[in-house]
Amino acid sequence: MKILVIGYRNHSAKILRILSKINIIKKIHVYKKSKNNLKIDIKNSEITNSLSNLKNYDCFFILSPNNTHFDYIRKLIKFKKTIFCEKPSCTKIKEYKYLNKLPDKLKKKIYFNFNLRHSPLYKITLKYLKNKKLGKLHYVYFKGSNGISFKRMLKNLKRFESNDVFERITGNIGVHYINFFLGLINKPIEIFYNEGRIFRKKAEFSKIDLLSENFFSSIFLSHSSIADYRADLVFTNGTLKFDNNEIKIVYPRNSFDEYGNFTYPKEKVLHKFVSYKKYTELSFKYSVKYFLNVTKNKKKFLIKDYNDALRSSYLILKAKNR
């Protein structure tokens, strides 16, 4: 398999390292407008500054900055090859409208990398939604934080101060969690958010609220506090808990003490990971492998996943900043 990768820095480098370890990939061309001052120590890869002969590739990976995704999709889709595109799916309403009107046969060629859909927590949540053992899901709390704002090497990073919501924490990180919810519930959602700052001029932390019929969610994201990743998915008959490197179930609701009073049920660990970093790396690998398996077997991507990816961006763009 011969692939073209557009993008080569930061997050893109993580995907490139995953690709380099997959046997079916024989050649990776990494696109850069100029070859100057760029070396990539990735197996089977080389730099190219040409976007010609695109029909000779088996698939494309768009790992470039957010505001370039749409232009590359529009350029590459005409070759009718599969496209792996990093989130967000779009950054403007006019881009959303264009992508939303694409014929289904083209939509089925595009995969947006919302890797939380391939995380163990997502798969476990789907399992309990289907078997109904925990009842109905009606509230979710997510917390994702770290101290990146105080890193000296990132002192002048402009994305924290951008007017583009997808460059700030609300859109850049929050869109992942919104997409997570869209996979679980099929209802209209309204979004509100608040942003705050401590060290930077603009958003360093954000609180996002999702409201729907009989479902609420609160997401807290921060670049100005300790590394801490948690989630509570509250069902009517139990709770799924994510605590940095563990997934636990608390069940059932009707748990009583010796006096007949409701009491907190026993926790059971369903999955344990070495670290949160390893947990996220796992979801990236699963996501990339899923894309390559669909490509290799000449199958199609799900229309629902495509529509949810678009809707995730649309909801952020239309969200009300309180």
Side-chain angles (χ1 to χ4, degrees):
M1 186 177 288
K2 182 179 178 182
I3 67 174
L4 174 70
V5 174
I6 300 173
Y8 51 88
R9 291 176 178 167
N10 304 322
H11 176 70
S12 309
K14 296 178 184 178
I15 303 295
L16 279 167
R17 284 193 289 272
I18 293 172
L19 292 171
S20 69
K21 297 175 182 178
I22 297 175
N23 291 333
I24 63 171
I25 297 176
K26 304 304 180 185
K27 196 68 177 178
I28 304 172
H29 282 168
V30 181
Y31 172 71
K32 186 178 183 294
K33 288 183 179 179
S34 170
K35 291 186 180 181
N36 297 337
N37 303 319
L38 180 63
K39 293 182 179 180
I40 295 183
D41 186 21
I42 299 291
K43 178 183 173 184
N44 295 330
S45 70
E46 64 180 60
I47 304 300
T48 179
N49 58 1
S50 172
L51 286 180
S52 60
N53 298 319
L54 293 173
K55 65 181 180 180
N56 294 329
Y57 294 101
D58 295 295
C59 59
F60 307 112
F61 279 71
I62 301 173
L63 312 178
S64 52
N66 294 342
N67 61 358
T68 67
H69 292 179
F70 174 74
D71 288 336
Y72 282 124
I73 289 174
R74 197 163 56 170
K75 180 179 183 65
L76 299 175
I77 194 64
K78 61 185 178 182
F79 294 96
K80 299 180 181 179
K81 305 294 179 72
T82 54
I83 297 173
F84 178 107
C85 183
E86 264 303 329
K87 58 80 189 168
S89 53
C90 56
T91 59
K92 297 175 183 177
I93 293 295
K94 65 179 182 180
E95 295 174 358
Y96 164 82
K97 290 180 178 178
Y98 177 93
L99 292 172
N100 195 41
K101 289 181 180 179
L102 283 178
D104 284 357
K105 65 180 181 179
L106 293 182
K107 289 181 179 180
K108 292 177 181 179
K109 290 283 188 181
I110 303 173
Y111 174 75
F112 293 104
N113 184 31
F114 284 98
N115 57 287
L116 289 185
R117 292 271 186 110
H118 294 271
S119 67
L121 180 61
Y122 182 80
K123 293 176 181 178
I124 290 171
T125 304
L126 275 184
K127 170 187 169 182
Y128 284 104
L129 279 173
K130 290 177 180 178
N131 67 26
K132 300 182 180 180
K133 181 178 179 179
L134 296 182
K136 295 182 179 180
L137 180 66
H138 62 277
Y139 178 71
V140 178
Y141 169 73
F142 267 112
K143 178 187 179 185
S145 64
N146 57 50
I148 197 172
S149 282
F150 299 98
K151 275 193 170 183
R152 292 196 176 194
M153 63 183 288
L154 300 175
K155 184 176 180 181
N156 297 316
L157 193 65
K158 298 299 182 183
R159 70 183 310 164
F160 292 121
E161 302 171 10
S162 174
N163 289 322
D164 181 350
V165 68
F166 288 107
E167 291 295 314
R168 305 195 307 273
I169 193 169
T170 299
N172 189 45
I173 306 298
V175 72
H176 269 299
Y177 294 103
I178 292 168
N179 185 266
F180 184 102
F181 297 132
L182 292 181
L184 302 178
I185 60 172
N186 188 26
K187 299 178 181 179
I189 293 177
E190 191 171 10
I191 296 180
F192 302 87
Y193 70 91
N194 299 84
E195 293 179 332
R197 65 184 179 89
I198 294 174
F199 181 66
R200 304 278 180 175
K201 292 180 180 179
K202 290 196 177 178
E204 289 176 273
F205 59 94
S206 175
K207 181 176 182 292
I208 307 170
D209 294 308
L210 284 75
L211 306 178
S212 187
E213 181 184 359
N214 296 322
F215 176 82
F216 309 112
S217 178
S218 180
I219 306 165
F220 177 73
L221 305 169
S222 175
H223 286 322
S224 303
S225 52
I226 65 168
D228 193 19
Y229 302 92
R230 300 177 185 273
D232 285 326
L233 294 95
V234 182
F235 293 75
T236 52
N237 195 36
T239 297
L240 291 174
K241 301 176 77 70
F242 182 88
D243 184 0
N244 287 287
N245 68 332
E246 286 185 338
I247 300 174
K248 297 178 281 188
I249 185 172
V250 187
Y251 164 88
R253 176 190 63 242
N254 292 339
S255 297
F256 304 99
D257 63 15
E258 59 185 307
Y259 304 105
N261 300 315
F262 280 102
T263 189
Y264 188 75
K266 290 184 178 179
E267 295 183 348
K268 178 183 177 182
V269 176
L270 300 177
H271 278 275
K272 190 164 186 176
F273 307 92
V274 175
S275 65
Y276 181 74
K277 181 182 178 181
K278 293 294 183 183
Y279 172 84
T280 55
E281 287 176 353
L282 192 64
S283 68
F284 281 126
K285 289 178 183 177
Y286 287 158
S287 187
V288 170
K289 287 182 177 180
Y290 167 74
F291 170 82
L292 292 173
N293 282 335
V294 171
T295 300
K296 177 185 175 183
N297 296 315
K298 298 182 179 180
K299 295 183 178 180
K300 308 295 181 184
F301 298 108
L302 299 176
I303 287 290
K304 175 174 168 49
D305 288 350
Y306 179 94
N307 290 339
D308 285 351
L310 283 189
R311 191 176 169 210
S312 303
S313 294
Y314 179 80
L315 287 169
I316 288 285
L317 290 168
K318 301 294 286 186
K320 298 174 183 177
N321 187 353
R322 295 189 291 195

